[in-house]
Amino acid sequence: VQVGDILDRGDDELACFRLLTSLSRQAREAGGELIMLYGNHEALNCVGLFQYANPGGNYEFEHEVGVSIDSALGSNRWRLMYAGNQPSRWAAFEPGGLLAENLLANMKVAVVVGRTVFVHAGLTASHVKEYGSIETMNQAAADWVLHQHHGENDYEGHYDTVAQVVESAQKRARGATKKMPNCLGGGSGEGSPVWMRDYSSPNDGVPKSPKAQQLIDEALEEVGYGVQRMVMGHTPQHRINAALKGRAWRVDVGASRGVMAGQPEVLEIIHGGDGEDDIVNILTMSGEKVASSERQVIESIF
């Protein structure tokens, strides 16, 4: 399970997606599965908010996406719909856009595998209750990203004034944002599944939220399926660690150069059978397998 935020982390975003989709095919052929989750940066890109994108990443989209659209349409006037706001990137990620059906609609907000629930930032019981189930939450995200919400596209760029161009792009952004499901919405400091930090902040330490333990206990009970832990990213840690009595695993190690250039690590969960405990390890680049007991963040009693 990849827990989101592939985007806005460097210059090779499409290359990362190609690698992950290739791994997904290989996993399927081997009888397994690779699951990709939405992060808040995927949600931002879907509604035309690119303030965190790298210039090199924008060039990648221009070179691999924009030039191809120019060629297919025999014109670059389609770009006017986006009013100069990274048209190639926006055309790729907007709801109903170029990557909506084959990539984005297959990503999930959260997923249960065995006795573990995975999500980008966190889940509360209220998140699950709002939709009735994680499956319904994921369907709401897929339904939203599969359909454009701004009306018809004007590929030939029939605009008479700059104001009309700007209004077209604003309508595009407003339409997608207004219809965005709550499970993908929010912003910095908000409490949605792709934005909350109640379980992961501060990094490498005990969560500062006094209600964090209660929130995660209630969330895991509401998710059901006998889940015992929640795995999340969002807040970069210096190494994978667990907090809240081992129920909150924080796995974002800021590995990309666009964040902290951290040392990559992987959380390995070996499912136990009925009546058996799962085995949780951290795999490091040096080949070490670290037991979960060595990565517990425990609140000091002093």
Side-chain angles (χ1 to χ4, degrees):
V1 180
Q2 197 283 327
V3 293
D5 277 4
I6 292 298
L7 295 175
D8 302 339
R9 292 296 180 262
D11 297 344
D12 301 305
E13 296 157 298
L14 285 172
C16 288
F17 276 123
R18 279 195 294 269
L19 173 61
L20 286 166
T21 53
S22 174
L23 289 173
S24 178
R25 288 191 293 270
Q26 294 175 51
R28 195 178 306 115
E29 291 169 1
E33 186 177 7
L34 185 148
I35 300 169
M36 296 170 58
L37 303 185
Y38 277 99
N40 59 305
H41 286 268
E42 283 74 41
L44 288 170
N45 275 255
C46 284
V47 294
L49 295 175
F50 309 129
Q51 64 267 37
Y52 299 106
N54 280 36
N58 291 332
Y59 173 80
E60 182 190 32
F61 279 92
E62 176 59 30
H63 180 70
E64 299 197 27
V65 177
V67 172
S68 297
I69 300 176
D70 289 346
S71 177
L73 296 177
S75 168
N76 63 4
R77 289 188 62 82
W78 63 273
R79 297 167 180 271
L80 291 172
M81 294 187 290
Y82 304 95
N85 183 27
Q86 303 302 331
S88 302
R89 179 184 283 270
W90 202 348
F93 286 108
E94 67 180 338
L98 298 175
L99 295 179
E101 182 175 357
N102 290 330
L103 177 65
L104 298 171
N106 293 305
M107 295 169 63
K108 302 180 185 301
V109 180
V111 66
V112 173
V113 181
R115 289 176 282 212
T116 305
V117 59
F118 297 82
V119 64
H120 177 64
L123 283 175
T124 65
S126 62
H127 293 150
V128 183
K129 289 176 180 177
E130 178 180 357
Y131 291 94
S133 68
I134 286 178
E135 292 78 11
T136 307
M137 181 188 298
N138 289 330
Q139 190 60 54
D143 290 343
W144 173 75
V145 85
L146 281 170
H147 300 94
Q148 62 186 43
H149 307 288
H150 55 266
E152 295 299 317
N153 289 317
D154 185 353
Y155 295 110
E156 297 180 1
H158 294 118
Y159 304 102
D160 296 323
T161 66
V162 172
Q164 289 178 355
V165 170
V166 173
E167 173 57 27
S168 172
Q170 290 176 339
K171 179 181 178 183
R172 198 174 212 91
R174 286 195 304 265
T177 302
K178 184 177 181 179
K179 294 293 184 66
M180 176 181 268
N182 291 335
C183 59
L184 292 177
S188 182
E190 297 288 335
S192 83
V194 298
W195 281 100
M196 67 179 291
R197 297 189 190 273
D198 296 72
Y199 310 138
S200 61
S201 180
N203 60 348
D204 307 305
V206 175
K208 63 183 178 181
S209 170
K211 296 183 178 180
Q213 187 70 59
Q214 179 183 347
L215 281 174
I216 198 167
D217 290 346
E218 292 174 351
L220 294 179
E221 182 176 356
E222 187 65 33
V223 169
Y225 302 105
V227 294
Q228 299 174 351
R229 65 190 69 83
M230 187 181 300
V231 175
M232 67 209 66
H234 194 43
T235 303
Q237 316 284 317
H238 287 92
R239 61 180 192 171
I240 290 176
N241 62 78
L244 304 176
K245 301 179 181 179
R247 310 203 90 181
W249 278 94
R250 294 92 65 90
V251 300
D252 185 340
V253 293
S256 64
R257 289 190 297 272
V259 183
M260 298 191 317
Q263 191 72 6
E265 293 186 334
V266 173
L267 186 69
E268 176 190 60
I269 302 172
I270 302 173
H271 298 151
D274 291 339
E276 298 179 354
D277 293 333
D278 295 343
I279 300 173
V280 181
N281 299 304
I282 298 90
L283 309 182
T284 72
M285 291 291 288
S286 65
E288 185 181 7
K289 180 178 287 192
V290 182
S292 62
S293 59
E294 298 182 32
R295 293 289 185 88
Q296 303 292 317
V297 175
I298 301 174
E299 187 170 8
S300 173
I301 63 173
F302 301 102

